[in-house]
Amino acid sequence: MRVRVLGTAAGGGVPQWNCACHGCAAARAHPSWRRLHASIAIEASPGRWYVVNATPDIAEQIEANPDLHPGPERRRTPVAGVVLTDAELDHTLGLPRLREARDLRVVATGTVRDALARGLRMDRVLAPYTSLTWSDLPEDEPVPLDGAGGVAIRAVRVSGKRPRYAADLDLPDGAWSVALHVTDRRSGASLVYAPALAGWPSGLGRALSAADCVIVDGTFWDDDEPRRSGFTDRTATAMGHLPISGPGGTAARLAALPAARRLYTHLNNTNPLVDPGHDGHRTLAGMGIEVASEGQVIDL
Ligand code: MLT
Ligand code: MN
Ligand code: ZN
């Protein structure tokens, strides 16, 4: 199974359009600091790719990765569908950018689908342009992406954290945010993709312990970072993102996993790791942890 990293930034990207913080300003001057919104693509069968989360950058991400280019027929695309881990804007605003599709398969939990339909009116808005075909992503049940015997994805509930636009929607608590446990049934190899870790429930811990590669939430370096940078009064944890370092940080937990590869993604522009020369990269490397980078290929 081949996985391609399409982007590695939290909502806003690096640089963020209205931000002149150190990381955003440096990213305007130095291309190596730039990061598109967090996303991966999974090759479910030869030449058929599923993009995990439809970010506002999805069209640029497709252009930047030749595996995802259309052809040889004029309107033939290797992008077979989109899988959603949650209904956050940074993971779903790319759906309207794909409206030129003849039809579009979207795999998501019922909760995420309802949030998009009721909170954003996504189905109504897109109906005149394309037809969205929803595939249910039940919790804890493997769903084959492209026929039995190939790649299957299993949703593992991470938290009930709702997007802010959905705070008042009359929708039950449910699988608002899931991790994906992606298994290649031919090789038995598996990957866990979890771009939003609001907690570390036991089911998630089991999936992470069973995976050969994990790509997880690296939004903030430490818990106080969002407050210190002045854009909010809330800590990282209160914003639904366990920090990397410090007490309860995810780095120590990742280091203890048996996975051969452990990577962080979804970096906020305040995270010191957006500086490619920051010491934190060496600290993490010493723990067997990498920061994911755009275009990176992971073969499992
Ligand atoms: C998050 O990851 O917490 C959300 O995407 C925040 C946002 O973009 O509004
Ligand atoms: Mn986000
Ligand atoms: Zn910034």
Side-chain angles (χ1 to χ4, degrees), residues 35 221 272-286 289 291:
R35 290 178 184 269
W221 176 256
L273 293 173
V274 300
D275 175 353
H278 190 266
D279 263 356
H281 291 279
R282 279 180 291 279
T283 308
L284 293 177
I289 303 170
V291 176

Side-chain angles (χ1 to χ4, degrees), residues 13-16 18-25 28 268-270:
V14 191
Q16 178 177 308
N18 63 344
C19 190
C21 75
H22 176 64
C24 289
R28 291 189 181 93
N268 197 57
N269 44 56
T270 52

Side-chain angles (χ1 to χ4, degrees), residues 10-11 88 90-91 241 266:
E88 294 285 352
D90 57 342
H91 292 163
H241 296 288
H266 197 271

